[in-house]
Amino acid sequence: MKAVVLAAGQGTRIRPLSDSIPKPMLPVADRPLVAHTIDAAIDAGADEIVLVIGYEGETVRDYFGDEYRDVPISYAVQTEQAGTAHAVNTAREHIDGPFAVLNGDNLYDPAAVDRLFEHCPAVCAIAVDEPRNYGVLSTDGDSVTGIVEKPSEPPTNLANAGAYAFPERAREWLEVPESERGEHEITDVLASVIEEFDVTPVTLDRWLDVGRPWELLEANEWKIADLDRRIDGRVSDDAHLEGDVVVEEGATVKPGVVVEGPALIRSGATVGPNAYVRGATLIGEDASVGHAVEVKNSVVSRGTSVSHLSYVGDSVLGRDVNFGAGTNVANLRHDDADIKFTVKGERVSTGRRKFGVVAGDGVKTGINSSLSPGLKLTTGATTRPGESVERDR
């Protein structure tokens, strides 16, 4: 079976992190987000991966090349973002048998992807508490009988998780009319398959749609927790590593450092001296965490520097960020209310009691900057020394 993996979108809701990199290529543990999806497909038996690319597509090509894990990679280019069926239709020439469709910005329970392939035609679903907010599957025993978007009276609590295994004939049904949203929807293709075939619902134990910055943080919490302890880099005898900590070859952990796993310190990164890293933290390639810095439950992306005497908690820092000495991130409100964050101009709840700052690529803070909970610093933004920043910039 071939797997068509959708990776063409920018991800406007996750800005500024996607300003110069496609959302599916953002870091989740030791690889890009989309690589977890591709790995699950290969482990399930995919004999070819067709990547649908668009925004900053060369970034995807450069990473995966023509072959990944001994499986050939093909590319289809979606020049306009016109919906999921439109995206799959751009890959039509590569489809010559049963095929799976997976979203490159979703994390799937790998065992369920195995079952999806095995039971083709099939669709993945996740049991939810509020099905009225989702596309919901109707079922009759072990068969899917239909799908309805955000129903007032849901037929089941099974929400469509956006992963499909289609028979070859579905290739003929990829050209669908525009929906009310002005997009060509893959659910219309699913509806055609349901009319002609017995479609099996495959229930996921775990699934995550990574659309907003705090969901990227949650994705890293999931995948970093899955790592087993491995120490390949240089670790001082005076450092203390506790639990499932991974220090990749080429990374350096200096004297006085304490790392409480799960945590991942990637190749070329430097931590310390006398730093404290804890709580599902990713220290990216060539990043630097300086003297007397604490980083807790955060993503510190490639080439970023958090200088001495700083605190970063529950935050996502993009590439080549430079936090000046004494920069402190607040991640908790005095009233303990959930932190809100700006998504496409609207303040929305993250659902998290603790959430710090999201800094785009190239952000620089002056020494002794104070950053408020739920703050967005756009690509290249700066702060002045001693400044308390309470509003997005």
Side-chain angles (χ1 to χ4, degrees):
M1 183 181 291
K2 293 184 179 181
V4 179
V5 179
L6 309 184
Q10 177 184 7
T12 55
R13 293 182 302 155
I14 209 165
R15 286 175 177 166
L17 301 172
S18 62
D19 280 350
S20 60
I21 185 173
K23 179 176 62 171
M25 293 300 293
L26 290 171
V28 174
D30 58 353
R31 67 201 77 168
L33 170 58
V34 66
H36 292 279
T37 301
I38 293 174
D39 284 328
I42 291 173
D43 291 342
D47 54 18
E48 182 179 345
I49 303 296
V50 183
L51 271 163
V52 180
I53 58 175
Y55 172 75
E56 296 290 343
E58 288 305 310
T59 304
V60 184
R61 287 184 188 268
D62 289 346
Y63 186 89
F64 291 102
D66 296 326
E67 190 176 88
Y68 176 78
R69 289 182 53 191
D70 300 323
V71 172
I73 304 288
S74 301
Y75 297 90
V77 179
Q78 186 184 25
T79 55
E80 59 174 325
Q81 310 305 306
T84 47
H86 179 269
V88 178
N89 198 34
T90 64
R92 186 173 184 159
E93 66 182 66
H94 299 281
I95 298 169
D96 55 7
F99 62 101
V101 177
L102 302 169
N103 287 319
D105 57 2
N106 286 188
L107 288 180
Y108 302 98
D109 166 22
V113 178
D114 288 344
R115 298 195 302 274
L116 178 74
F117 281 35
E118 179 184 348
H119 293 291
C120 179
V123 55
C124 280
I126 184 103
V128 295
D129 294 331
E130 291 291 339
R132 286 174 293 184
N133 296 328
Y134 300 88
V136 179
L137 303 181
S138 57
T139 60
D140 182 6
D142 292 330
S143 296
V144 179
T145 57
I147 181 169
V148 57
E149 284 295 325
K150 299 182 179 179
S152 57
E153 296 183 7
T156 69
N157 68 338
L158 296 178
N160 176 21
Y164 312 90
F166 288 140
E168 183 178 6
R169 277 191 61 195
R171 182 180 184 273
E172 304 169 12
W173 303 325
L174 294 174
E175 293 185 3
V176 298
E178 283 190 356
S179 66
E180 292 180 358
R181 298 194 304 171
E183 296 187 352
H184 303 275
E185 310 276 5
I186 194 70
T187 49
D188 289 337
V189 180
L190 175 63
S192 296
V193 175
I194 290 170
E195 287 181 5
E196 299 292 332
F197 293 87
D198 185 13
V199 176
T200 301
V202 174
T203 303
L204 293 159
D205 291 331
R206 193 171 185 183
W207 170 73
L208 179 62
D209 180 6
V210 181
R212 298 165 297 188
W214 59 92
E215 288 155 352
L216 183 68
L217 200 59
E218 185 178 348
N220 275 277
E221 291 166 353
W222 175 354
K223 292 301 180 180
I224 290 173
D226 286 347
L227 298 176
D228 294 324
R229 183 182 176 97
R230 190 178 79 250
I231 310 299
D232 294 329
R234 295 173 51 199
V235 178
S236 168
D237 291 340
D238 293 326
H240 176 70
L241 276 55
E242 179 181 320
D244 288 325
V245 176
V246 175
V247 181
E248 292 185 347
E249 184 176 357
T252 301
V253 179
K254 294 183 176 181
V257 169
V258 175
V259 183
E260 296 176 356
L264 170 60
I265 302 170
R266 301 221 56 199
S267 178
T270 301
V271 179
N274 304 315
Y276 183 24
V277 176
R278 62 188 176 99
T281 288
L282 166 64
I283 307 297
E285 293 172 310
D286 301 317
S288 175
V289 174
H291 169 67
V293 168
E294 179 177 350
V295 181
K296 174 249 179 185
N297 201 69
S298 295
V299 174
V300 179
S301 298
R302 188 192 71 207
T304 284
S305 174
V306 182
S307 211
H308 45 286
L309 303 169
S310 296
Y311 174 75
V312 176
D314 303 281
S315 298
V316 183
L317 309 186
R319 299 172 299 178
D320 301 314
V321 170
N322 187 1
F323 270 16
T327 295
N328 284 293
V329 173
N331 61 345
L332 179 68
R333 292 170 54 103
H334 285 172
D335 60 6
D336 277 342
D338 288 345
I339 306 299
K340 291 185 177 181
F341 185 80
T342 306
V343 178
K344 301 181 75 170
E346 180 182 355
R347 293 294 284 182
V348 298
S349 174
T350 64
R352 299 175 73 106
R353 178 171 165 267
K354 292 187 176 182
F355 189 65
V357 65
V358 176
D361 294 351
V363 164
K364 293 180 172 62
T365 65
I367 61 170
N368 299 322
S369 291
S370 296
L371 309 178
S372 297
L375 184 71
K376 177 193 290 187
L377 297 175
T378 56
T379 299
T382 61
T383 72
R384 298 187 301 273
E387 186 175 8
S388 180
V389 184
E390 298 179 355
R391 295 185 178 275
D392 297 347
R393 62 175 57 176

